[in-house]
Amino acid sequence: MSENFSTSDHFKVRDLGLAKAGRMKIDWAESRMPVMAALREEHARKQSLKGFRITGCLHVTKETAVLIEALAAAGAQISWSGCNPLSTNDEVAAALAEAGISIYAWHGMNTEEFYWCIDKTLEQKPTMTLDDGADLIFRVHDKHLDLIEGILGGTEETTTGVHRLRAMSRDQALKYPVIAVNDAETKWDFDNVYGTGQSSLDGILRATSVLLAGKNFVVAGYGHCGSGCALRAAGMGASVIATEVKPTAALKATLNGHRVMKMDEAAKVGDVFITATGMKDILVGRHFETMKDGAIVCNTGHYDCEINLVELEELAESKRTIRDNCEEYVMKDGRRIYVLAQGRLVNLAAAEGHPSEVMDMSFANQFLSMVKLAQEGKDLEIAVHDIPEAQDQQIAAIKLETLDAGLDVLTAEQIAYDDDYAAGT
Ligand code: ADE
């Protein structure tokens, strides 16, 4: 296990001395998360989570700190780990540890340490789990079956995690109810599109500082996340090429003005590649063999399986870190291929993740789902549950108020018209 950490009976972080810088980051995020502020105020007053123990495994960022502290203010006892070895912000982790939160997280951990941290957080015997990617819930089902009886339910933040949990549910392997936070409209329609779009380009630019205008920007996967990346890359003057396996998604990309082609063709012309599919082996050896000199390759999907780095290593003659989060692979014919953030989430590893303004809504869904599990978890069927429409509308309404946007209201006549099937031509 690595050395020179700050540790105590309730945390292990890189360096507690970073806490002051972390607190300023959290203050900054908090000032841009008005929905979370409103929820925190209400539920701190009601102490809605008093007596509940929440164990979370989700990127330790300044925005996550706002969520954690709101849950704690509502009375919950918290323990937390990061859900990706490269996404923890050490300053934020230090600030949380200093504030008394039980946290086990640092940037740059290995796989063994990753699961050690999860196991430490489970020592508090949670009543609820909060996941991003489903590694925590899977760990409970795999190695801590004794905890299941005491768990009312869990939540899942991301597309990949929900996919995993639905597969577990189909197999009847899921042992407690889970709320699919990802599938709330106020999550996927904003976080996945605008959040991923902006933060992924932010990561690419921090790691490379290249000019995007005029570049061929290849987006693998034109789902919510991929379309967000395409939107922002096109906005900066890149020419977007999408690759897809799903006809409707490919059609959308075409009608949004992008070229669609097979990856075998895109590999030859792309300048920058980003994978956003949730599937493994999107970029493999035969693609690296045909890429242009100087091609930049990165991933924004949850797991680091989309770019096959083993095959790239086999083809490369040498490798060096040329900039932070940017590795140069020199191929046998002299071509250089640049891999960002070791093929892990480029938006969190090379930048700061999604901006606070979108995480405000995603985490409002997490927060309200925790309150729901506290109140109704015992009665929920063991399945993956959607967020109720009313919760989406509540969050969107609070957000709109803070954006100074006016909302029209239907008149009584309009409401009657809505139900009047006899009204026509
Ligand atoms: N996922 C993407 N961006 C994030 C952020 N800023 N905080 C936590 N999780 C995230």
Side-chain angles (χ1 to χ4, degrees):
M1 192 103 2
S2 344
E3 283 158 19
N4 296 329
F5 283 85
S6 297
T7 57
S8 85
D9 58 347
H10 74 279
F11 66 78
K12 178 166 177 174
V13 296
R14 176 71 64 192
D15 176 6
L16 210 52
L18 300 171
K20 193 164 166 230
R23 181 50 57 187
M24 287 196 278
K25 288 202 156 99
I26 299 169
D27 289 347
W28 174 262
E30 205 159 37
S31 72
R32 277 145 211 283
M33 299 177 77
V35 184
M36 285 304 299
L39 293 176
R40 177 179 170 142
E41 198 274 317
E42 179 189 342
H43 292 275
R45 199 167 11 87
K46 294 183 179 160
Q47 285 296 285
S48 315
L49 295 170
K50 197 169 172 51
F52 294 93
R53 295 179 300 282
I54 299 174
T55 294
C57 177
L58 189 146
H59 306 294
V60 178
T61 65
K62 58 193 186 304
E63 291 78 21
T64 302
V66 174
L67 169 65
I68 291 173
E69 293 192 331
L71 293 167
Q77 184 180 307
I78 309 285
S79 64
W80 211 269
S81 68
C83 67
N84 183 291
L86 294 187
S87 67
T88 291
N89 182 297
D90 286 322
E91 294 169 342
V92 169
L96 287 168
E98 190 184 68
I101 300 292
S102 173
I103 179 159
Y104 296 85
W106 58 92
H107 184 96
M109 60 176 51
N110 62 33
T111 305
E112 187 195 337
E113 291 167 331
F114 180 85
Y115 285 105
W116 180 85
C117 288
I118 289 184
D119 290 343
K120 287 301 284 181
T121 62
L122 286 169
E123 284 177 7
Q124 73 158 350
K125 302 196 185 326
T127 49
M128 282 96 87
T129 59
L130 189 158
D131 255 286
D132 184 334
D135 282 333
L136 168 64
I137 192 167
F138 191 76
R139 187 76 172 173
V140 170
H141 282 67
D142 193 31
K143 298 269 190 258
H144 300 277
L145 284 164
D146 55 307
L147 297 180
I148 286 178
E149 202 188 314
I151 299 179
L152 294 165
T155 55
E156 172 50 53
E157 171 79 5
T158 198
T159 317
T160 298
V162 170
H163 191 76
R164 239 177 130 181
L165 291 167
R166 288 201 200 282
M168 269 174 90
S169 179
R170 273 197 304 278
D171 249 15
Q172 303 198 325
L174 188 66
K175 300 292 178 217
Y176 58 81
V178 179
I179 300 179
V181 167
N182 179 72
D183 295 359
E185 199 176 341
T186 43
K187 199 279 182 182
W188 66 260
D189 216 6
F190 299 90
D191 170 315
N192 299 19
V193 181
Y194 305 100
T196 307
Q198 178 167 321
S199 61
S200 300
L201 289 216
D202 188 8
I204 293 170
L205 294 179
R206 289 192 204 196
T208 65
S209 88
V210 294
L211 178 72
L212 286 180
K215 295 271 191 306
N216 282 333
F217 190 94
V218 180
V219 180
Y222 199 75
H224 304 128
C225 297
S227 63
C229 295
L231 181 73
R232 290 297 172 244
M236 293 187 76
S239 167
V240 173
I241 297 169
T243 71
E244 252 302 337
V245 291
K246 196 171 164 192
T248 46
L251 194 58
K252 264 189 214 159
T254 313
L255 297 197
N256 280 335
H258 311 311
R259 281 178 288 166
V260 175
M261 57 179 84
K262 288 177 184 291
M263 185 57 92
D264 283 352
E265 297 311 311
K268 297 176 201 159
V269 294
D271 298 300
V272 180
F273 296 80
I274 186 160
T275 53
T277 67
M279 178 49 66
K280 68 177 198 170
D281 288 343
I282 300 304
L283 288 172
V284 295
R286 70 173 190 281
H287 300 128
F288 301 126
E289 275 172 341
T290 61
M291 279 181 191
K292 296 198 276 192
D293 178 32
I296 294 166
V297 170
C298 65
N299 164 55
T300 194
H302 188 79
Y303 290 112
D304 61 342
C305 58
E306 305 204 18
I307 304 171
N308 193 324
L309 289 182
V310 174
E311 292 189 10
L312 179 57
E313 300 257 352
E314 277 165 15
L315 290 168
E317 200 161 66
S318 65
K319 167 180 151 187
R320 64 174 171 158
T321 302
I322 190 160
R323 297 167 54 89
D324 282 352
N325 291 304
C326 182
E327 245 147 0
E328 179 188 68
Y329 288 78
V330 182
M331 311 299 275
K332 297 195 174 90
D333 59 8
R335 279 175 309 119
R336 291 157 296 182
I337 293 176
Y338 298 95
V339 177
L340 309 187
Q342 300 168 33
R344 294 197 183 271
L345 285 160
V346 71
N347 60 335
L348 280 140
E352 292 176 59
H354 303 353
S356 311
E357 290 87 341
V358 283
M359 294 316 293
D360 192 22
M361 290 190 288
S362 309
F363 285 165
N365 279 298
Q366 283 286 5
F367 188 93
L368 288 174
S369 299
M370 281 294 141
V371 173
K372 184 183 165 84
L373 287 173
Q375 291 167 352
E376 302 166 27
K378 271 200 270 330
D379 305 321
L380 280 180
E381 189 195 338
I382 298 179
V384 179
H385 296 265
D386 285 335
I387 296 275
E389 161 77 8
Q391 180 173 312
D392 253 336
Q393 296 306 337
Q394 178 195 353
I395 291 172
I398 304 175
K399 188 75 177 174
L400 267 179
E401 264 173 40
T402 69
L403 293 174
D404 205 17
L407 203 59
D408 284 330
V409 178
L410 292 178
T411 63
E413 290 78 15
Q414 285 174 313
I415 292 170
Y417 176 79
D418 215 20
D419 291 331
D420 182 6
Y421 55 79
T425 307

